[in-house]
């Protein structure tokens, strides 16, 4: 068991209707670890390094982490006895949702720019700072072959995760989505 990263949209019911197959847009557990690096390591996370290397503003990807599902907020509020803290949680959640409202175009531009720039970079793992803490065990293999779909029998490469995210964004736009976000579970 472990932490997974899923994709969500403001009109998730519309996305789930019809012929939607979430496996077509599945992000790997390595992508989950990759996105969580900001709070897991000392130093510059790989996403920030990739943003610097490519000149792409990666902030829209980090913003996707800030969305809180209404049911998660309700559970947090139910467990919180302090009224001031409850109000702070409600305000923080509302501010994050407002900041990312209508983000699908920004996220799409970010992902497409990353795909374009990373396709031209050879030996990406050698361009990233080594993981001194050893917390990203498959880092070299994950970043090594940008054009491959899998780094082993089970796990996507970084390139495939970006392509799956891009595919989701196109699908979500076709269904009228305006806001997209990550859900951890």
């Amino acid at each position: 068991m472990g932490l997974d990263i899923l994709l969500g949209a403001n009109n998730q019911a519309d996305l789930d209707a019809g012929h939607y197959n979430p496996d077509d847009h599945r992000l790997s557990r390595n992508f989950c670890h990759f996105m969580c690096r900001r709070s897991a390591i000392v130093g510059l996370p790989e996403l920030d390094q990739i943003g610097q290397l490519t000149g792409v503003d990666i902030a829209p990807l980090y913003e996707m982490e800030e969305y809180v599902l209404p049911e998660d907020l309700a559970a947090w509020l139910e467990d919180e006895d302090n009224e001031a803290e409850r109000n702070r949680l409600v305000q923080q959640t509302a501010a994050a949702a407002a900041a990312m409202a209508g983000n699908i175009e920004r996220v799409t531009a970010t992902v497409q720019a990353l795909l374009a720039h990373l396709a031209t970079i050879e030996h990406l793992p050698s361009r990233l700072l080594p993981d001194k803490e050893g917390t990203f065990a498959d880092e070299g293999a994950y970043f090594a072959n940008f054009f491959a779909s899998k780094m082993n029998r089970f796990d996507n490469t970084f390139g495939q995760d970006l392509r799956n995210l891009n595919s989701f964004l196109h699908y979500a736009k076709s269904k009228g989505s305006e806001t997209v976000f990550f859900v951890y579970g």
Side-chain angles (χ1 to χ4, degrees):
M1 208 100 196
L3 185 63
D4 287 318
I5 188 169
L6 308 169
L7 293 160
N10 63 297
N11 60 336
Q12 193 65 43
D14 293 338
L15 272 62
D16 292 342
H19 301 292
Y20 178 68
N21 181 358
D23 288 338
D24 292 341
H25 312 289
R26 186 180 80 72
L27 300 176
S28 70
R29 188 155 293 159
N30 282 316
F31 189 81
C32 182
H33 293 171
F34 171 73
M35 288 303 301
C36 293
R37 303 284 288 160
R38 196 168 44 157
S39 60
I41 65 168
V42 175
L44 197 60
E46 290 83 0
L47 180 56
D48 295 81
Q49 293 176 53
I50 289 169
Q52 289 179 353
L53 184 63
T54 61
V56 175
D57 177 14
I58 47 86
L61 295 177
Y62 280 138
E63 290 167 2
M64 289 177 67
E65 294 184 302
E66 302 301 320
Y67 184 81
V68 176
L69 293 170
E71 57 268 26
D72 290 341
L73 177 60
W76 292 350
L77 295 176
E78 193 175 286
D79 291 341
E80 184 57 57
D81 293 332
N82 181 315
E83 189 63 31
E85 182 61 16
R86 288 171 58 95
N87 289 334
R88 187 193 69 73
L89 287 170
V90 169
Q91 290 173 358
Q92 179 182 356
T93 300
M100 65 186 298
N103 71 341
I104 196 164
E105 294 301 331
R106 290 190 319 272
V107 173
T108 300
T110 298
V111 170
Q112 289 178 348
L114 285 171
L115 285 166
H117 288 288
L118 290 168
T120 66
I121 296 175
E122 293 185 24
H123 309 291
L124 179 60
S126 69
R127 313 267 316 260
L128 301 174
L129 297 173
D131 174 19
K132 293 177 184 168
E133 288 99 5
T135 57
F136 196 172
D138 296 325
E139 175 182 34
Y142 183 61
F143 295 115
N145 190 345
F146 188 75
F147 297 103
S149 61
K150 300 282 185 190
M151 60 183 235
N152 58 41
R153 287 184 344 162
F154 308 105
D155 300 312
N156 291 350
T157 63
F158 179 54
Q160 188 61 47
D161 279 329
L162 285 178
R163 289 185 290 276
N164 286 358
L165 176 53
N166 192 47
S167 176
F168 171 80
L169 294 167
H170 287 289
Y171 177 75
K173 278 198 259 186
S174 77
K175 295 295 187 177
S177 300
E178 297 172 355
T179 304
V180 291
F181 46 87
F182 294 128
V183 178
Y184 290 93

